[in-house]
Amino acid sequence: MHKSDWQEKGEGHRQRLRDKFLAQGLDAFTDSEIIELLLTFGTPRADCKEAARAALAQFDTLPAVLDAAPAELQQIKGMGPKNIFALRFIQGVARRYLRQRIVGKHYVRSSREVADYLIHSMRGLQHEVLTVIFLDAAHAIIDSIVAAEGTVTTNTVYPRELIKAALARNASALVLAHNHPSGNLNPSLKDVELTRSLHLVCSFMHIRLLDHLIIGSGEQVYSFADQGIMARIQEDCRRLLDQVS
């Protein structure tokens, strides 16, 4: 087949994928087809079918492909810097979309959307990250920030900076979230101690710490509030404040 014939056939295939999306939406696509079409954004004249299949075989799932580090993606035949840029860019767009989508919504009524954002932004990370969600007095979401990176403990999270950020946003309540790269959702003793320390500091400033969420490697989220841990911490802090008042 002449090069021009190959290019014409490849463009026809890519156009069929685009038409398929416009007519039927993403649900009509396999994960391999989604990756293939994303890769063509970086190299629109290249055949990306085999690279997409190889990426899915290597990482098993679409989220894992999007979460993969550039160095890992470069090991796949047919995957170059422009392809990788396309994957990383769409990943960044998705994270910003999910983050901005939750702003202004009531935390409890939109808890699933909050979980979707946290899972997408933290899943696959090789290091721990602490995200803080700021809420107003009606528990509508104001903003979210990454407050710390690395091992999340009382030694790496600075309450003064956290309170400063909350006051700057006129926040009345907070929700903490951090990931466990190991995939284990169970909180450690350090996780509980950090939550207790931050709850106490927030209490002095009349800011409520509503929950601490742990994100694992899958789609599940561990909630300190749902497991009764927040209630115990709140009671411990109340007794301590009563003693010093």
Side-chain angles (χ1 to χ4, degrees):
M1 183 182 295
H2 294 294
K3 185 176 181 180
S4 59
D5 294 334
W6 177 86
Q7 289 177 337
E8 183 176 347
K9 182 179 179 181
E11 178 54 36
H13 172 67
R14 289 188 290 273
Q15 186 59 51
R16 284 192 293 274
L17 287 178
R18 291 190 287 267
D19 291 343
K20 181 179 179 180
F21 173 73
L22 292 174
Q24 304 177 53
L26 201 63
D27 288 344
F29 277 64
T30 65
D31 286 351
S32 180
E33 288 174 327
I34 292 172
I35 297 168
E36 178 187 352
L37 195 54
L38 289 177
L39 293 178
T40 65
F41 295 160
T43 51
R45 296 182 180 275
D47 183 357
C48 299
K49 185 182 297 182
E50 292 306 317
R53 290 175 177 173
L56 196 57
Q58 174 71 25
F59 298 105
D60 295 328
T61 66
L62 172 62
V65 173
L66 294 178
D67 291 336
E72 295 177 307
L73 293 170
Q74 287 174 356
Q75 303 303 313
I76 297 173
K77 184 178 179 181
M79 191 85 74
K82 293 181 179 179
N83 302 121
I84 294 171
F85 172 82
L87 292 178
R88 302 302 294 172
F89 184 75
I90 199 67
Q91 172 77 313
V93 170
R95 287 181 177 176
R96 180 174 293 190
Y97 165 74
L98 291 171
R99 177 177 178 269
Q100 293 185 358
R101 188 178 67 170
I102 64 175
V103 173
K105 294 189 176 181
H106 190 277
Y107 173 72
V108 174
R109 292 195 295 269
S110 304
S111 59
R112 183 64 253 176
E113 292 179 80
V114 174
D116 288 343
Y117 159 62
L118 293 171
I119 290 168
H120 189 81
S121 63
M122 292 182 171
R123 180 189 54 212
L125 295 177
Q126 300 303 308
H127 59 285
E128 288 190 17
V129 168
L130 177 72
T131 295
V132 181
I133 299 173
F134 302 95
L135 305 99
D136 64 18
H139 293 174
I141 298 168
I142 301 171
D143 195 7
S144 67
I145 63 168
V146 174
E149 295 191 48
T151 303
V152 177
T153 68
T154 53
N155 296 324
T156 58
V157 178
Y158 301 101
R160 178 180 176 182
E161 295 302 316
L162 193 60
I163 295 299
K164 181 179 177 181
L167 294 176
R169 292 163 174 80
N170 197 30
S172 297
L174 306 176
V175 173
L176 305 178
H178 84 279
N179 61 310
H180 279 180
S182 66
N184 180 10
L185 284 176
N186 293 323
S188 67
L189 292 177
K190 291 182 178 180
D191 293 337
V192 177
E193 182 58 34
L194 171 64
T195 309
R196 182 178 286 107
S197 297
L198 292 179
H199 186 280
L200 185 60
V201 172
C202 287
S203 297
F204 282 118
M205 302 303 297
H206 303 288
I207 297 173
R208 294 188 63 195
L209 179 55
L210 300 180
D211 203 354
H212 187 164
L213 306 172
I214 297 178
I215 312 300
S217 57
E219 300 293 321
Q220 300 300 314
V221 177
Y222 184 99
S223 164
F224 278 42
D226 290 348
Q227 299 299 323
I229 299 176
M230 287 306 304
R232 293 197 295 271
I233 289 175
Q234 289 166 4
E235 181 60 24
D236 290 344
C237 290
R238 186 192 63 78
R239 287 198 297 265
L240 182 59
L241 291 173
D242 288 343
Q243 291 173 4
V244 299
S245 61

